Amino acid sequence: MDEVHDLECGNVRSSRNLTEVAPLATAPSRFPAGFLWGVSTAAHQVEGGNDNNQWAAWEQAGGIKSGDRSGQACDWWNNAERDFDLAREMGVNALRLSVEWSRIEPQEGQYDAQALRRYRQMLEALHQRGIRPMVCLHHFTHPLWFEQKGGFLRYDAANRFEGFARHVVSGLGDLCQSWVTFNEPNVYATLGYVLGEFPPGKRGQILTAVRLVNALARAHTQAYRAIHDLQPAAQVGWAHNFVVFQPADPRSVLDGWVTRLVNELFNESFVRLIEQGKLAFPLSLVSGDLNDVKGVCDFVGLNVYSRFHVAFDARLLSQMFARVFVPPHVPQGDHGVEQPYGEAYPAAIRLAVERVARIGKPIYVLENGVPDAQDRIRPWLIVNAVQELDRLIQAGQDIRGYFHWTLTDNFEWSEGWKLRFGLVALDPKTQQRTMRNSGRLYGAIARSNCISPEMVNQYFPAGIEPAPD
Ligand code: IFM
């Protein structure tokens, strides 16, 4: 692996303008001391050998479009330390990982001490490398026994989740103070119950998706209180996936209406529950008041990637008449316009931050990235994302960190191994890793807590503008 050279930012405001290498208006200043430059990961996507959760069953049942299996994944269960070394070499100071409930509580009420010990080792290994861990309790996967009992739609799900959360925090609390209860409740509900892409593979069940979001908000609240009970100084939040939806035709009343509807269900539902303790009318008829959920978080985590256009289509009843698509000639990662990954849109960070800032809590960008095996547009994305963050912080927004998704290429859910989000390329068959240039660039930014045109030039002398498609 190549050495990464440290580049000082110096007085970036008077140095060469970044517009020479990127479509940027201004060069950013130094980030606040203690700003977290991290990478995000998730248990099922990296550990390998997870065969006791609902995603393993989904894989076996043919739920992955390519037929791929997560298999050995990035082999973290045996050797996460290899990737932690790469994270240290890169220079990040934080890493978000999740714990796999199906390993820790493989049967209801039976906890596996060995599994928790392995997570302790991982957290210790991160600390030894100067990397602060942030632990997520539920990143899309849970044990088969829990799924078979109805998952989070069952009446006592919040109690089960609280029991798991207590067990984890009791066992790992001396090594971690930052907790994410749920990753992307809105994605889990939408892909699992409206689009059928995630287990349990239901389509068009919009009311069930709303009920699930409510149930996840209750479970989040109960876990939040349990974590604080055990660890009063803990910082607890959730990771919200924010997508920019834009009417396909700004003059069309129907496009505007269906865009607002999609936005309300996807972007607003969980956020409104935390902000106001209820959903907007008429969704509030399904949920009622959840007053005890209001204000329950110490920070808001944002996972921000993309923008979609939305058009009214009377044939799409099961999708609330919304045709969600990506127009041609916009920057995109490695997929056709039919795929649900959208336009790579760093400006989404500003819109997302401005929305959740109304909750009044610190904000972390907990995911941002693009599937890009050849590193065509990832550098452009990183530079633009960092500039967005800088502008927001200058404008007074309380943003505490940026975590890139992801460290090493990993198992991308229903797309399997097809999409490569890593700063480090992985061949899952040989387990060979190769640092991408975007990893070197991101590392240089993280180490200097700043970005300079020299960094961009060093790794991308030919420039980083995304080529038009
Ligand atoms: O890989 C996922 C991650 O698990 C959740 N957020 C989006 C990422 C990229 O699709």
Side-chain angles (χ1 to χ4, degrees):
M1 187 123 331
D2 289 352
E3 274 295 298
V4 185
H5 302 291
D6 271 315
L7 292 165
E8 273 304 311
C9 278
N11 181 2
V12 293
R13 289 200 181 281
S14 63
S15 68
R16 271 190 306 137
N17 196 314
L18 272 171
T19 49
E20 287 178 28
V21 290
L24 305 169
T26 53
S29 48
R30 196 167 286 282
F31 278 73
F35 191 80
L36 295 185
W37 294 102
V39 282
S40 273
T41 67
H44 192 74
Q45 294 177 270
V46 296
E47 284 179 358
N50 277 322
D51 54 14
N52 188 27
N53 64 31
Q54 93 281 25
W55 264 92
W58 180 247
E59 288 173 35
Q60 252 175 23
I64 311 304
K65 292 175 199 158
S66 54
D68 290 346
R69 299 285 179 89
S70 52
Q72 195 185 358
C74 309
D75 202 26
W76 274 32
W77 200 245
N78 297 311
N79 193 2
E81 288 76 358
R82 171 174 41 191
D83 281 339
F84 296 169
D85 282 341
L86 289 174
R88 175 178 52 189
E89 184 186 327
M90 201 181 279
V92 298
N93 59 9
L95 186 144
R96 173 181 160 218
L97 74 169
S98 72
V99 286
E100 177 60 41
W101 187 355
S102 66
R103 285 191 191 274
I104 293 174
E105 191 181 359
Q107 297 301 327
E108 187 172 5
Q110 289 175 19
Y111 291 99
D112 181 341
Q114 176 57 35
L116 208 59
R117 269 200 295 279
R118 176 68 186 123
Y119 286 118
R120 281 194 69 79
Q121 274 177 356
M122 289 191 199
L123 299 189
E124 279 161 0
L126 287 171
H127 284 292
Q128 281 156 11
R129 289 161 178 77
I131 298 174
R132 183 169 143 183
M134 179 179 274
V135 173
C136 177
L137 295 171
H138 188 277
H139 193 122
F140 296 154
T141 55
H142 47 245
L144 276 173
W145 64 259
F146 182 76
E147 180 74 359
Q148 281 154 7
K149 289 195 156 190
F152 283 95
L153 290 168
R154 195 179 141 102
Y155 71 96
D156 62 350
N159 293 342
R160 310 274 161 202
F161 186 63
E162 179 189 337
F164 164 63
R166 280 186 181 276
H167 189 79
V168 170
V169 175
S170 306
L172 304 179
D174 57 325
L175 297 168
C176 177
Q177 287 215 318
S178 306
W179 305 93
V180 175
T181 54
F182 286 98
N183 180 71
E184 302 177 350
N186 54 342
V187 170
Y188 171 28
T190 307
L191 296 196
Y193 289 86
V194 182
L195 300 178
E197 298 249 333
F198 277 20
K202 310 280 187 209
R203 286 178 185 273
Q205 299 197 1
I206 293 161
L207 292 184
T208 311
V210 175
R211 277 180 49 229
L212 178 60
V213 167
N214 283 357
L216 294 172
R218 282 204 194 87
H220 159 84
T221 301
Q222 233 171 282
Y224 174 96
R225 301 225 157 93
I227 297 169
H228 274 284
D229 186 24
L230 295 164
Q231 196 186 50
Q235 292 293 300
V236 187
W238 91 102
H240 178 59
N241 187 300
F242 182 95
V243 170
V244 176
F245 296 109
Q246 180 170 311
D249 176 356
R251 290 156 309 177
S252 157
V253 174
L254 286 175
D255 286 3
W257 172 78
V258 80
T259 304
R260 283 194 297 282
L261 190 61
V262 169
N263 188 59
E264 193 59 47
L265 276 164
F266 189 86
N267 282 329
E268 287 293 324
S269 52
F270 201 94
V271 168
R272 253 189 226 285
L273 289 175
I274 301 288
E275 185 186 33
Q276 301 164 8
K278 60 178 178 215
L279 298 178
F281 183 81
L283 297 178
S284 53
L285 299 176
V286 183
S287 71
D289 274 6
L290 270 74
N291 265 326
D292 58 337
V293 167
K294 192 168 159 183
V296 176
C297 65
D298 303 311
F299 65 84
V300 180
L302 282 174
N303 297 355
V304 195
Y305 292 83
S306 47
R307 171 165 72 171
F308 287 94
H309 285 223
V310 186
F312 178 83
D313 187 331
R315 294 162 300 182
L316 298 179
L317 173 63
S318 71
Q319 290 174 214
M320 301 173 314
F321 308 113
R323 189 163 62 80
V324 178
F325 66 100
V326 184
H329 313 306
V330 296
Q332 278 196 86
D334 295 338
H335 43 78
V337 288
E338 251 62 79
Q339 305 282 0
Y341 281 82
E343 170 186 353
Y345 192 58
I349 292 178
R350 179 174 52 80
L351 300 171
V353 165
E354 286 173 351
R355 168 62 188 96
V356 301
R358 281 162 28 202
I359 296 177
K361 303 286 168 110
I363 295 167
Y364 292 87
V365 173
L366 286 183
E367 289 184 24
N368 175 238
V370 65
D372 182 6
Q374 303 305 322
D375 238 9
R376 287 180 297 116
I377 67 168
R378 187 178 293 105
W380 165 85
L381 181 95
I382 291 173
V383 169
N384 280 277
V386 171
Q387 294 248 322
E388 286 291 348
L389 292 169
D390 177 56
R391 285 191 280 269
L392 287 160
I393 293 170
Q394 300 289 333
Q397 296 287 4
D398 186 4
I399 304 172
R400 306 277 176 95
Y402 169 88
F403 289 60
H404 194 81
W405 183 273
T406 183
L407 176 56
T408 307
D409 288 340
N410 57 40
F411 185 73
E412 178 54 22
W413 305 112
S414 46
E415 301 294 339
W417 289 101
K418 206 171 116 207
L419 298 182
R420 304 305 178 106
F421 280 86
L423 295 164
V424 176
L426 171 79
D427 178 338
K429 290 201 182 75
T430 61
Q431 288 292 314
Q432 195 179 340
R433 280 129 168 99
T434 314
M435 183 85 77
R436 292 193 167 104
N437 256 355
S438 53
R440 296 190 181 89
L441 170 63
Y442 184 57
I445 296 168
R447 285 193 309 280
S448 59
N449 201 24
C450 180
I451 188 172
S452 71
E454 287 74 20
M455 288 171 196
V456 182
N457 278 338
Q458 174 170 4
Y459 302 112
F460 297 93
I464 57 171
E465 289 271 10
D469 56 1

